[in-house]
Amino acid sequence: MVVSSICAPKSSDKIPAGKQTKEIKHAISANKATVSPSSTSIQDEVIALRAKNKVLEEALKAVEESATEKLKANFELVWFARNRCRYPNHEASKRIEKSEEHREAISKLRGTDGDFHHGFNSGLLAAARMFKEHADVKHILNTEEAGCVQSVMKAAEKHSEKVDASRRSFPNLDVDEFPKEN
């Protein structure tokens, strides 16, 4: 049995997953795939790809966790800066104001450079929201038919759409809800 493989060009990292699949299918049908690796090299490649995949999954998980942490902290700071006068007696205002976690940031917001720090917190809030969306790949990793290429490709296409939507909504600075206590 001859197994053909295709190496995608380096520029393919900018090609949406759906288009890349079509190009690979076209290359196979045009018989451009002429490499016939041995079963040992396929096994080595699978092991290497699994190791790379694990590292990438862990890196994306770390990015998502960091983004979630920054999102929560900056949501609270931006909400506080916008609403501390409107809701001075609300439990969220009191909790944030007394929070040891936000003590230094609240002090900066009340200082002479308060507008700068509010802008900085707003930028971090928007960036954290966007990167959290980009790094959230659970729907790809948890596809029911993990071995089914179409299922994974469909999930990858949905993720690409989600990334595009988060880019279009950037900068998302909404703080309409009250901060939740965790």
Side-chain angles (χ1 to χ4, degrees), residues 104-130:
E104 185 179 339
I106 298 290
S107 176
K108 288 178 180 179
L109 285 170
R110 290 190 169 135
T112 56
D113 292 333
D115 286 343
F116 167 79
H117 292 287
H118 176 59
F120 183 79
N121 293 333
S122 296
L124 282 177
L125 172 63
R129 275 188 174 141
M130 184 175 72

Side-chain angles (χ1 to χ4, degrees), residues 75-90 92-94 96 118 173-179:
F75 178 90
E76 290 180 346
L77 291 170
V78 171
W79 183 90
F80 182 80
R82 287 186 186 173
N83 295 298
R84 68 178 174 224
C85 294
R86 186 183 308 164
Y87 303 109
N89 295 321
H90 191 277
S93 289
K94 291 176 182 178
I96 294 167
H118 176 59
L173 299 172
D174 294 340
V175 288
D176 296 334
E177 299 175 13
F178 288 107

